[in-house]
Amino acid sequence: MIDLKNVSRIYQIGSGKVFALNKATLHIDEGEFVSIIGPSGSGKSTLMNIIGCLDTADSGTYLLDDIPIEAYTETELAKIRNRKIGFVFQSFNLIHKLTAEENVELPLIYQGIGKAERKSRVAEALERVDLTKRSRHLPSELSGGQQQRVAIARAIVTRPSLILGDEPTGNLDSKTTEEIMDIFHELHAHGNTIVLITHDQEIAEQASRIVHIRDGKLSEVSV
């Protein structure tokens, strides 16, 4: 499903160059649960942005479902992000003026899906994260864990095959972290491919594969 070969991403800082990714090679099969762990500044988020088609590499190749990403136009990449990939971020990235169900509905509106189907899918997604009773609450009326549940519902409402989590438990207490990880395990059990970016070893160890990243270089660890 995901195949990166010798991928580098270089940033120019002053007169010098910094390798956010340095010839990174990574293969992830459909249906895997992989964690990518590393310290701050190691290149984790850059790697996720490339996997999620939010950024492009300076060199190397990235095949998503056997198709080179560079073959897609920006419009096509936007469609891939909206239909094939679900994103869950540490900061939730909810729109504060919209209710939980309105936040979850947004990706479906972008897809041009009709109102009746949108309503059905939103209800299904919120039920999967056990948030049906809070569907009409604003983010400010929800706890951090509940906001992250809304973010997960928004990520899965388009029925993506790949879910990318960028430190999705980073702002949560231990009990809420456990609840959110239970949801990720359930999504994995239902066939989703999960790639989880984290700095937390305990979170990383819940995946079936651990990939370490440091100074833009990847190394695999057996679980």
Side-chain angles (χ1 to χ4, degrees):
M1 183 179 196
I2 293 168
D3 197 14
L4 290 88
K5 291 183 180 177
N6 295 318
V7 167
S8 293
R9 184 71 172 94
I10 305 165
Y11 294 102
Q12 190 78 34
I13 298 180
S15 58
K17 293 181 178 180
V18 174
F19 279 82
L21 288 178
N22 191 350
K23 296 184 177 179
T25 294
L26 177 66
H27 180 82
I28 298 174
D29 286 323
E30 187 173 353
E32 281 200 275
F33 188 162
V34 177
S35 65
I36 298 170
I37 184 169
S40 178
S42 60
K44 300 191 301 294
S45 292
T46 299
L47 178 61
M48 196 203 78
N49 287 343
I50 288 175
I51 292 174
C53 302
L54 296 168
D55 195 6
T56 53
D58 293 307
S59 61
T61 59
Y62 173 29
L63 275 64
L64 181 62
D65 290 337
D66 296 323
I67 300 174
I69 284 302
E70 56 265 27
Y72 292 105
T73 65
E74 263 308 316
T75 301
E76 289 169 334
L77 285 175
K79 286 182 180 179
I80 288 171
R81 288 192 295 268
N82 191 247
R83 296 172 188 271
K84 187 172 287 192
I85 304 170
F87 296 92
V88 183
F89 297 97
Q90 178 177 355
S91 56
F92 318 137
N93 286 10
L94 301 177
I95 296 176
H96 294 286
K97 292 182 179 180
L98 300 182
T99 64
E101 61 185 6
E102 288 169 339
N103 268 283
V104 175
E105 185 183 23
L106 270 180
L108 301 179
I109 293 173
Y110 295 147
Q111 284 188 5
I113 289 174
K115 188 173 182 179
E117 186 176 351
R118 291 203 310 266
K119 184 177 180 180
S120 173
R121 284 218 210 169
V122 168
E124 177 189 329
L126 286 169
E127 184 177 358
R128 288 185 71 182
V129 298
D130 194 24
L131 214 59
T132 301
K133 293 180 180 178
R134 310 285 283 179
S135 64
R136 300 198 176 173
H137 287 67
L138 295 169
S140 60
E141 299 170 318
L142 301 173
S143 68
Q146 289 169 336
Q147 289 184 62
Q148 192 60 291
R149 286 171 184 267
V150 175
I152 293 172
R154 181 185 57 193
I156 65 176
V157 75
T158 58
R159 298 171 182 166
S161 53
L162 171 62
I163 296 175
L164 299 179
D166 190 359
E167 300 277 8
T169 61
N171 287 334
L172 307 176
D173 61 43
S174 57
K175 182 178 182 296
T176 309
T177 291
E178 187 176 330
E179 293 169 354
I180 294 300
M181 289 306 298
D182 284 345
I183 295 173
F184 276 106
H185 286 296
E186 183 188 337
L187 293 170
H188 179 234
H190 279 82
N192 285 105
T193 305
I194 311 283
V195 180
L196 202 62
I197 304 289
T198 184
H199 68 276
D200 187 322
Q201 185 68 30
E202 288 186 17
I203 296 296
E205 288 174 355
Q206 294 192 44
S208 48
R209 280 174 62 199
I210 299 176
V211 177
H212 277 259
I213 183 167
R214 183 175 289 275
D215 299 329
K217 295 183 178 181
L218 302 181
S219 59
E220 191 107 5
V221 175
S222 299
V223 177

